Amino acid sequence: MDQFADSGAILDWYLSVGVDEAIGELPIDRFEASRAQAARPAAVASASAPAALRPAFQPPPPRPSPAAEQAPAVANARSLAAACDTIAALEAAIRGFEGCPLKAGAANTVIADGVAGADLLLIGEAPGADEDRLGKPFVGRAGQLLDRMLAAIGRDRTRDAYIANILFWRPPANRKPDPIETATCKPFVERLIQLSQPKVLVLLGGTPAATLLATTEGITRLRGRWHEWNGIPVMPTLHPAYLLRQPLAKRDAWRDLLAVRRRLDGH
Ligand code: URA
């Protein structure tokens, strides 16, 4: 193909469609993968695509299942998290935790960015390639959009917002977190919320909403309404990566953020 004669151009094209890894950590049996793909319902198959390639409408993300909650690593995470009385202690506990298999394939543990203890806490899904490389949440394209969304309500992560994720390690090829991964990280995330005591908690996308709210509803139904997590007002809204793919949905996210601003202003 002539237009790909230049190998730099083909790499640029891969990056622009979200293909950011040339090799995985494990060998893949492509014959088996394509047989399995053919046997799976289309919606389930789409959930494992890289974030930039996922279609607009997705099935609700898997919630931590009762079986996953029983795993020994989850019990260990719970007791480690409960023993932390400060955010600094919690960060150290997360960095030292070896119970999540994603850690082995990640370059960095990505915990939070911004002002710890700010009255606005935002929680996303999981680190992507940029976040994994730099060790901070939301520093790639979705993060840049998130910064603009925050600026639109007069907020800035360097001054008055705190940002974290449901997972602390990047899933391979940005696939959706699985139930055991979310169940394992959840005790630490819950402790982070307890220690931060924000005035408003914003959940970015379906994964944090399904993990922290006791509901099976998808993000398009949950967003725009106030929920509660242990007495803290919660606004689920659309994930900035989704907004990059569906710019028209920015209208809805804007409405959600206005509600957040009103709440933060005490209205
Ligand atoms: N998407 C997320 O959910 N979190 C990040 O940190 C980056 C992209």
Side-chain angles (χ1 to χ4, degrees):
M1 293 198 287
D2 286 350
Q3 71 266 41
F4 294 139
D6 172 356
S7 56
I10 201 169
L11 283 177
D12 284 348
W13 182 79
Y14 280 144
L15 278 174
S16 74
V17 297
V19 179
D20 55 12
E21 279 189 352
I23 45 171
E25 294 95 49
L26 297 172
I28 298 171
D29 180 345
R30 302 274 173 202
F31 296 107
E32 181 50 41
S34 63
R35 273 194 296 275
Q37 178 86 7
R40 281 153 87 199
V44 174
S46 70
S48 62
L53 298 178
R54 285 184 208 143
F57 294 100
Q58 297 172 28
R63 301 171 59 208
S65 67
E69 302 269 6
Q70 305 300 320
V74 178
N76 187 20
R78 261 193 221 116
S79 64
L80 286 169
C84 296
D85 290 330
T86 62
I87 292 177
L90 184 66
E91 289 209 3
I94 296 168
R95 287 187 201 287
F97 183 65
E98 300 295 338
C100 182
L102 290 175
K103 186 175 184 180
N108 271 302
T109 298
V110 179
I111 303 178
D113 192 27
V115 179
D119 61 355
L120 173 60
L121 172 61
L122 302 105
I123 299 188
E125 182 176 298
D130 295 317
E131 291 75 19
D132 183 48
R133 190 165 43 84
L134 298 173
K136 281 186 183 184
F138 283 101
V139 290
R141 276 184 71 219
Q144 287 156 17
L145 176 57
L146 181 60
D147 285 340
R148 293 200 294 279
M149 291 161 67
L150 286 173
I153 56 162
R155 294 278 167 157
D156 188 311
R157 70 167 91 186
T158 64
R159 199 182 55 224
D160 46 19
Y162 194 36
I163 305 174
N165 278 314
I166 287 293
L167 296 189
F168 306 109
W169 299 279
R170 182 193 185 201
N174 296 344
R175 66 157 168 72
K176 278 270 174 203
D178 75 19
I180 185 82
E181 292 157 0
T182 48
T184 308
C185 293
K186 185 174 157 189
F188 293 116
V189 176
E190 293 187 322
R191 192 74 186 127
L192 186 73
I193 305 169
Q194 281 166 352
L195 292 170
S196 308
Q197 281 302 307
K199 199 164 162 188
V200 169
L201 172 60
V202 172
L203 302 179
L204 299 165
T207 297
T211 306
L212 294 168
L213 301 175
T215 172
T216 53
E217 284 187 304
I219 189 65
T220 47
R221 294 180 74 87
L222 290 172
R223 61 145 290 273
R225 288 186 283 127
W226 286 103
H227 302 257
E228 202 184 274
W229 185 89
N230 288 353
I232 297 171
V234 176
M235 176 58 77
T237 191
L238 301 166
H239 193 287
Y242 174 86
L243 298 176
L244 287 172
R245 301 189 301 272
Q246 298 292 320
L248 283 182
K250 286 180 184 170
R251 282 184 304 209
D252 291 333
W254 172 235
R255 273 190 216 113
D256 302 345
L257 288 179
L258 287 183
V260 166
R261 180 165 74 184
R262 278 195 296 273
R263 193 84 181 223
L264 289 168
D265 290 348
H267 301 306

